[in-house]
Amino acid sequence: MGLSVIVPVYNGEKYIKECLESIINQTYKDLQIIVINDGSTDNTKSIISNMSMKDTRIEVINRENKGASSARNLGLEYVKQDFVTFVDCDDTLELDMYECLMKFFYDDSYDIVHCGYKRVGKIGEKLVNGTGKIYVQENFEALKNLISGRMFVGSLWNKIYKINVINDIRFDETLKINEDILFNYKAFKKCKKSVFIDIAKYNYIEREESTCNSTQNLKKAIDSYKVSEIIYNDCKCNKLKNYALERFVECLLNLDICFYNSNEKNKKLVCKKIKLKIREMRRKKDIEGNKRILKSILISEVPFLYKQLYKIYNKIRTPNWDVEI
């Protein structure tokens, strides 16, 4: 009952060694560690090559740069074990993470097992929930939490998948963001039963990054909208419709403000189409909740005012990318 670990890396010379050491030192030993060197131009190739000579469980695949999603898809082609997981190359694991998760698969009824995590930054560690509770979820409950962003995050790195559940699922290589949400939506849709252990076993390391420009933000907003639309269209005729609709509306509103703040030549035309869509959804009463209704009215009717209010809000708010139980 072995586990394949897929680690895409691009120019990760500063942190790939620490990441891989946290994997090879796991108390769970039956590992196949697939490292995809995605066209690195720094010393990454040498580091992972040396580490693979010391630990034969590490398999290195060198190729030209095509992006993390493409690297993960390539890694899936090399999987030899019955279970698979993913690790971001700049993060680390608690040494008993895989032992803690894999033991649940001895009960063959579980298709996905996942855990909590903590954020590690300059000012210290932030435990995300960490109630210590164990949640066994049927298909519907897990999908509801994934779509609505409750209880657990849609990331890949804190989840272990039974390979026969995801053997026909691949990452959308055109997406810059939310490709993990879409992958997990498809995975949990096929999953009959999963286990979420609310104990932090994965260390999400917050790295210094350059400030995203408006073009990058717009691309992310477009991709988030695309993913939410795919999920919403897939849920229109089932009990998940309202959860998918809420996510879709939020992404639509965010897309409008990102286009409005961009320098795109066609932004007026796109914003006009979005406003018409927002008005139509309000007419059909698809947009619910006082805050969301007010936001939709401001965006569709007085976008200049909304832009000014958003600037003020964005300066004083404290972003929360995590989830609540």
Side-chain angles (χ1 to χ4, degrees):
M1 195 177 76
L3 174 64
S4 294
V5 185
I6 298 175
V7 188
V9 54
Y10 172 72
N11 287 352
E13 64 178 5
K14 294 180 180 178
Y15 34 73
I16 187 61
K17 186 174 186 292
E18 183 181 9
C19 172
L20 290 179
E21 283 179 344
S22 76
I23 299 173
I24 62 179
N25 291 325
Q26 287 287 303
T27 55
Y28 183 86
K29 299 299 183 184
D30 190 4
L31 300 174
Q32 175 197 17
I33 306 167
I34 305 168
V35 185
I36 312 295
N37 176 28
D38 192 35
S40 296
T41 56
D42 61 2
N43 201 38
T44 294
K45 183 177 180 180
S46 175
I47 293 170
I48 59 179
S49 176
N50 289 335
M51 293 187 74
S52 69
M53 288 189 284
K54 296 176 182 178
D55 192 321
T56 57
R57 295 176 299 173
I58 298 177
E59 301 175 19
V60 178
I61 301 168
N62 295 301
R63 62 146 201 191
E64 63 183 26
N65 179 252
K66 294 182 181 180
S69 288
S70 175
R72 293 188 190 107
N73 284 336
L74 179 60
L76 285 170
E77 302 300 320
Y78 286 83
V79 168
K80 299 172 184 175
Q81 306 282 34
D82 295 325
F83 302 89
V84 63
T85 189
F86 303 89
V87 175
D88 285 357
C89 66
D90 53 349
D91 295 335
T92 62
L93 321 176
E94 295 297 310
L95 296 184
D96 64 342
M97 174 175 170
Y98 292 152
E99 182 179 9
C100 177
L101 270 60
M102 287 296 291
K103 67 183 180 183
F104 284 89
F105 285 115
Y106 287 109
D107 183 341
D108 195 46
S109 61
Y110 301 129
D111 294 321
I112 299 174
V113 179
H114 51 139
C115 65
Y117 68 103
K118 60 186 173 185
R119 288 179 172 268
V120 182
K122 281 188 175 181
I123 59 175
E125 299 179 353
K126 177 189 175 184
L127 189 66
V128 181
N129 296 324
T131 64
K133 295 181 180 179
I134 296 174
Y135 300 85
V136 176
Q137 297 183 322
E138 302 289 341
N139 172 279
F140 173 80
E141 188 68 20
L143 282 169
K144 181 185 76 172
N145 286 320
L146 175 71
I147 293 169
S148 60
R150 302 286 296 182
M151 185 172 287
F152 59 83
V153 292
S155 303
L156 303 162
W157 30 255
N158 61 336
K159 298 174 179 63
I160 294 179
Y161 309 84
K162 192 178 288 184
I163 191 62
N164 60 13
V165 171
I166 65 164
N167 56 6
D168 61 344
I169 301 175
R170 290 297 181 268
F171 293 93
D172 186 332
E173 298 178 15
T174 67
L175 295 173
K176 184 179 182 64
I177 195 172
N178 275 191
E179 78 288 350
D180 50 354
I181 299 291
L182 185 57
F183 182 92
N184 276 316
Y185 173 74
K186 294 175 180 178
F188 277 101
K189 188 177 177 182
K190 291 182 65 180
C191 169
K192 293 180 180 179
K193 189 182 290 187
S194 61
V195 180
F196 173 59
I197 307 122
D198 191 22
I199 301 173
K201 292 296 180 182
Y202 189 93
N203 302 314
Y204 179 84
I205 315 295
E206 296 179 321
R207 308 284 179 181
E208 288 187 8
E209 295 179 355
S210 59
T211 303
C212 292
N213 58 40
S214 60
T215 302
Q216 290 174 314
N217 287 334
L218 180 59
K219 170 61 176 169
K220 290 179 178 180
I222 291 171
D223 286 352
S224 295
Y225 171 79
K226 285 180 180 178
V227 171
S228 69
E229 185 177 37
I230 291 170
I231 293 174
Y232 173 57
N233 287 334
D234 195 55
C235 294
K236 277 184 177 180
C237 299
N238 62 43
K239 294 179 180 179
L240 292 165
K241 176 184 176 180
N242 289 338
Y243 302 102
L245 177 60
E246 183 178 3
R247 185 185 189 97
F248 175 69
V249 169
E250 196 62 36
C251 288
L252 179 63
L253 296 175
N254 185 57
L255 179 63
D256 184 84
I257 194 63
C258 283
F259 258 108
Y260 190 83
N261 288 327
S262 74
N263 297 316
E264 296 294 309
K265 292 180 181 179
N266 64 337
K267 75 175 185 177
K268 288 185 178 180
L269 177 61
V270 174
C271 286
K272 183 179 179 180
K273 289 181 178 179
I274 293 175
K275 288 174 178 57
L276 290 173
K277 190 172 187 67
I278 290 172
R279 288 171 185 162
E280 177 67 12
M281 294 183 77
R282 280 213 322 270
R283 187 183 66 81
K284 292 181 177 179
K285 300 187 184 304
D286 285 338
I287 299 178
E288 299 177 345
N290 293 336
K291 184 178 178 180
R292 195 168 285 112
I293 291 172
L294 176 60
K295 186 176 178 180
S296 68
I297 292 172
L298 288 172
I299 286 177
S300 59
E301 308 304 333
V302 280
F304 177 78
L305 175 60
Y306 180 78
K307 180 180 178 181
Q308 301 308 311
L309 292 173
Y310 184 83
K311 279 184 178 179
I312 297 171
Y313 167 72
N314 205 37
K315 287 180 180 179
I316 63 175
R317 73 187 179 113
T318 302
N320 179 21
W321 307 112
D322 300 315
V323 294
E324 296 179 1
I325 294 294

